[in-house]
Amino acid sequence: MIEHHDTASTTVTPAALPALNSFTRAAFRWGGVMLPLIALGMLFASMYMAQMTLSSGFTIHLSLIAIVALANAALMCAMLRGQDALARPLALLHAVATGASAAYALLLLPLTVTGVASLACHGRAFPLLASLAPLAALSATLAARRLHDQRARLSGGAPLPRAWPAVLLALALIGALELPSVITRVGMRMAAGQAPATSANGIRLLRYLGIERIILRRCYDEHRESADLAAIVLGMDGATSMEDARAIYYRLTGTPFSAMPHPVGNAWLPWKIYDRERHSAVVGGRVAKLRLTASRIDGTIDARAALGSLEWTMLFHNDAEHVSEARARIIVPAGAVVTRVSLWDDVGEHTLPAAGGATAREAEFAEPDVRRAPVLVTTAGRDRIMLNLPNVPGERELTVRIAMSVPLVLNEPGLGYLQLPSFSEHNFGIAPDLRHAVTVQSDSALRGAPGMREEAGDPLAFAVRGEVAEPLPGMGAAIIGALRTPAETHAWSPDPSTPGGAIVQVIGQQAARIPRRVALVIDGSAALAAQREQLARAATSFPGNLELGVIVAGGQAPHVFLHDTSDSLASVRHLQDIAFEGGHDNSAALLMAWEWAGASSDGAVVWIHGPQPLMPGSADALLQHYRQRPKQVRMYGLEAVTGPNVLWEKMDGIAALASVPRIASLHDDLVRLLTGWRPAAQQVVVERGRASAAQPAREQASAHLALLWAGERAAPLREHGAQATPAQAEELQGLDELLTDTWSAPPPALKTQAEKAEEAEKAEKAEEMAPSGEDGAISVGATWLMLAIALAVLGWRLRFHRRTPYPASPE
């Protein structure tokens, strides 16, 4: 018997999912979504207020913070809708958000500790609240993951992926972004330290692991900094001053920061452009939107008197809306004397003399803006001048012309050289395609530089014309040669200060003054690395009659390497082994060279160098040697790479200093200087002085001869400054009056095509409105006669109408 039992089917009821109460929703919404969004907004606002540029690395940080808010919002919405599992892309996105929030909470832990200390010590709660935001976001993110996993287990859904791989990935990504910045800032702080060993280690760290872009930004402005996490967390923003950063950049690269283009500016606040060197003797960094748009050099050469004149006309344009200042240091021909500076602006023409040296420049900068000269040209070392244009109006142009008298370089009696002026440092932009329009005329045949053509002159017989580019840092300016007759040795020009007097010049040859010891100081900076082979090749041509020592100004303590005439290859190897790296202060090496060369009765120092933008540490001791024994050691500066030279400017006024003209390559110029000290060597000597006797009319030269003499005489008098005697001050005043050339002429046409068309249109309108030639020829007397006749006729008509009434009109 089979028993049948009725069995009821049992159904499994799923457990209730944990509900999202109001407190949980508020915690997730504020901790996981709103706090990251608030932090994102605060970061954008802080960057805007601090004028920080948005770097690519910080963009990734902002994206990760946005991912935290987005992923938590998506997870919360899914749980509110009752979804058991997230889509695979959203699940991976939340894993990345978890890793990012964990990484930021870990990296910003030092700020949390600082916030707690600030609350305990000063009662400031805001730093603590700001530092707790990453921890709050991490807590909300982890709580949301845990709640979602519980709901997934109860409903049979898929849990979220593990978060620890994403945490490691986020830490690696953020570390890769921030580690170079941290190393750079730590290296800058070390390099700016006072201890020499720490400073050297900082430069070494920056050379291998630093970021040059960060240092260059600090060089231009210590407040406009690129935003990165290292500056915020480690508190390094502003740790290194702008001046220290500029010194570090030169020591690191061997290049002045001003030679590099301005880093990418602020796209949010493009109108806030700061020129911290305004109204100072420092050229400084490039000023945005200020540029040189046209340039012209006109000159004449009197080959018979071995002199000439140059006028350099420059057109500056300011594209900014505000006033900017243009500053530049200019290398002028050896022995040149600036005689006149002219400026054309909206007010009109301003003609001023050269203002002297650093003392005159400081006095001018001390004046109020309203009393400051519209243009200032002062000396800035031997054969260097500084140009200041304090007020280049916004969206306008200025034209400036510098006139100078120049002597020719006579390496031999039959050929003279004229080197054109060029910039050594400038704070305005120069377009790569800008060319200087050059025209030089003479009564004798000329040899133009490459790219210039020889033509017939007007009014003079010969001329060279062409367009030359601004020379590169390792090259000299363009050279123009002038053929002359060696027998023409005498020239004179009237002395304006003495009636019947004359300034006489005599060109002759005499035995060269051969020094007993020659110290060859070589700048070990990276700027001279390209000149290594030329220096080594020149060692084979060192004269055998000199006791010559080589001193390298590098990272190591300077020492003297004696050149052995019987083994010149040893000197070649020594020069080839120089480690040209970074940038170095050459003053210590020059001081050692002076002391070594000064041990003999007659010494010389040949300084082969690049830019020297740092304040020299041993300049005062070097100056003391030259002032106490001015004739014992002569110094010859051979500039291999052009650039700022603070040491050369500080030594302005030392009579024993001379700059070697750059006529050819560095090898040729150095060999030409040293071979001039071989036994029985002859050198060309030019002497100028006053004379009271009558001079032959055929030997009379232009007034530039008197200007050159006045410039040579005024240079040592200006160095006395406030200590000058009344007689010296009176003589200097007379020389300055002589140097002030009052002749003036309108500037050459340096106009754009649009401006030329506008001027032509105005001229046509003026011509149409102008009276004809006959009307313009009427005299004043004839005008009054015609007016009297007109008044008489008018009076007769009035009298006639009074006697003869008008007839009545018909009704």
Side-chain angles (χ1 to χ4, degrees), residues 156-400:
L160 293 175
R162 293 182 177 180
W164 65 266
V167 174
L168 295 180
L169 179 62
L171 284 174
L173 178 61
I174 296 173
L177 290 174
E178 297 299 327
L179 188 59
S181 176
V182 172
I183 293 175
T184 302
R185 295 178 186 278
V186 171
M188 291 175 66
R189 180 174 291 181
M190 293 174 59
Q194 298 296 328
T198 303
S199 180
N201 290 332
I203 293 295
R204 192 175 299 109
L205 179 64
L206 292 173
R207 182 164 293 137
Y208 293 106
L209 299 175
I211 299 178
E212 183 178 326
R213 183 181 64 256
I214 296 177
I215 308 174
L216 188 59
R217 282 201 186 100
R218 179 66 73 182
C219 293
Y220 273 93
D221 198 331
E222 57 184 337
H223 296 297
R224 183 187 296 154
E225 186 64 60
S226 175
D228 52 50
L229 195 61
I232 299 174
V233 176
L234 301 180
M236 292 185 178
D237 190 30
T240 306
S241 66
M242 186 172 60
E243 290 74 15
D244 288 339
R246 293 177 176 181
I248 291 170
Y249 188 83
Y250 169 71
R251 293 173 57 195
L252 180 65
T253 64
T255 303
F257 84 99
S258 57
M260 304 301 295
H262 199 290
V264 178
N266 194 346
W268 295 344
L269 299 174
W271 62 87
K272 291 197 175 182
I273 302 173
Y274 300 98
D275 183 9
R276 295 185 173 273
E277 287 76 24
R278 185 175 175 84
H279 299 161
S280 70
V282 179
V283 174
R286 303 290 173 86
V287 175
K289 300 184 179 181
L290 181 63
R291 52 195 173 91
L292 177 69
T293 57
S295 172
R296 181 180 181 88
I297 300 177
D298 298 282
T300 59
I301 292 179
D302 183 0
R304 181 178 58 85
L307 53 84
S309 64
L310 289 176
E311 291 185 346
W312 190 0
T313 307
M314 293 166 277
L315 179 65
F316 294 93
H317 187 83
N318 184 14
D319 294 327
E321 297 179 357
H322 54 81
V323 175
S324 299
E325 182 180 30
R327 299 180 298 273
R329 279 184 170 84
I330 300 174
I331 303 174
V332 297
V337 177
V338 177
T339 58
R340 185 184 67 257
V341 184
S342 302
L343 175 73
W344 289 266
D345 56 10
D346 296 339
V347 178
E349 179 186 354
H350 309 271
T351 301
L352 302 169
T359 303
R361 184 166 57 237
E362 293 173 359
E364 183 68 23
F365 291 154
E367 294 288 339
D369 291 348
V370 294
R371 297 177 56 186
R372 190 166 295 144
V375 59
L376 180 67
V377 172
T378 56
T379 59
R382 181 65 60 89
D383 301 328
R384 287 174 179 248
I385 60 175
M386 182 169 181
L387 169 67
N388 284 78
L389 291 174
N391 297 306
V392 182
E395 299 181 346
R396 305 294 286 274
E397 291 181 340
L398 283 183
T399 302
V400 63

Side-chain angles (χ1 to χ4, degrees), residues 67-68 71-72 91-104 138 141-142 145 160-164 166-167 170:
I67 286 175
V68 173
N72 283 329
L92 293 176
L93 185 66
H94 198 273
V96 174
T98 306
S101 58
Y104 286 126
L138 175 61
T141 303
L142 293 177
R145 290 180 62 87
L160 293 175
R162 293 182 177 180
W164 65 266
V167 174

Side-chain angles (χ1 to χ4, degrees), residues 62-81:
L62 298 178
S63 302
L64 290 176
I65 296 174
I67 286 175
V68 173
L70 178 62
N72 283 329
L75 181 60
M76 187 177 66
C77 292
M79 289 189 295
L80 288 175
R81 290 195 300 264

